[in-house]
Amino acid sequence: MPFLGLAEVEAAGGGMVPASAALGEMRQLVWDHMLLPADLDPADRDLAGGIVFTSADRPLPSWHSLRPLAFIASMLSDERMTSGTIASGEVPGEIGRLVQSLRFLRQLSATPPSTHLYARESGALWGVRASVWDQSMPIESSALGLMTATETLRSLGEIGSRTTPEIIPVESE
C-alpha cells in the first residue's frame, strides 16, 4: 500500500473495483490495529493513532503506519468503496477513524519546537520522522505523509462538494 490499491482503482477505470471487498477488509484490519488513547498508558499517548501490525512484545508504530493510510484517504471519497455522504452511511465513521490516524502523522511531523534538532531547521519543518523516538527523516516517510495529507484533503473536498446541505428555513416574526 498505497500503490497496490491505487493501481487497482486505476485499472477499474470508472467501473466496479474488483478488489473493493478485499480493500474494505484491509481498511477494517488497519482500524483494528490502530492504537487508541484509551488503550495506552498516559506516558505512551504520543503513539495514539499509530498502526501496529506486529505481535512483538512491545509493538510500536512508526512511519510505516502511513502506507495503508495514504490509500485509505483515497478510498474515503470513492463511492465504490465508501458509501454515504458527509452525514450518513460509512463516510462519517471513516472520517472519524482517519482523523484519529492523522493525529499520529502530526505527531511524527517536525514542528517549530523540534526543528532545532536538525542541521537545516527550515528544511526539516513538517518533514515526517521515522518514529517518535527516531529523529531521522527517510524521504519515504515524508512522501507518504504528504500523500496521506493531500489525499485526505482531496477526499474531504470531494465529499463536501457532492453533498448539498439541507437548508432549513428560518421563520420570521
Side-chain angles (χ1 to χ4, degrees):
M1 283 299 151
F3 306 108
L4 180 62
L6 294 171
E8 185 70 23
V9 170
E10 183 70 24
M16 189 181 107
V17 178
S20 63
L23 293 170
E25 288 176 23
M26 178 274 307
R27 176 172 57 193
Q28 187 56 51
L29 186 66
V30 168
W31 298 146
D32 290 346
H33 288 84
M34 182 170 58
L35 298 175
L36 301 174
D39 300 329
L40 297 166
D41 291 331
D44 294 331
R45 295 274 164 92
D46 286 349
L47 305 175
I51 314 298
V52 176
F53 296 112
T54 180
S55 59
D57 289 339
R58 183 148 165 81
L60 297 170
S62 69
W63 73 273
H64 292 286
S65 296
L66 302 176
R67 290 180 183 276
L69 296 178
F71 182 66
I72 288 172
S74 296
M75 289 176 71
L76 182 62
S77 65
D78 193 324
E79 294 178 274
R80 299 169 295 180
M81 292 180 281
T82 308
S83 64
T85 66
I86 196 82
S88 66
E90 294 177 304
V91 171
E94 291 304 322
I95 290 172
R97 286 181 283 278
L98 184 58
V99 167
Q100 288 180 65
S101 67
L102 290 176
R103 187 233 150 276
F104 185 66
L105 169 57
R106 173 70 168 82
Q107 188 67 35
L108 292 178
S109 300
T111 59
S114 65
T115 56
H116 71 279
L117 299 168
Y118 300 94
R120 274 192 53 236
E121 290 186 35
S122 63
L125 188 60
W126 298 112
V128 179
R129 299 177 295 152
S131 64
V132 294
W133 62 90
D134 181 352
Q135 299 303 317
S136 67
M137 289 184 183
I139 192 68
E140 296 89 354
S141 63
S142 290
L144 281 171
L146 181 59
M147 187 175 182
T148 301
T150 57
E151 281 301 304
T152 299
L153 291 173
R154 185 198 57 74
S155 286
L156 291 173
E158 189 174 313
I159 291 167
S161 69
R162 74 176 181 225
T163 305
T164 306
E166 182 178 328
I167 299 173
I168 301 172
V170 177
E171 294 182 27
S172 60
E173 294 180 36

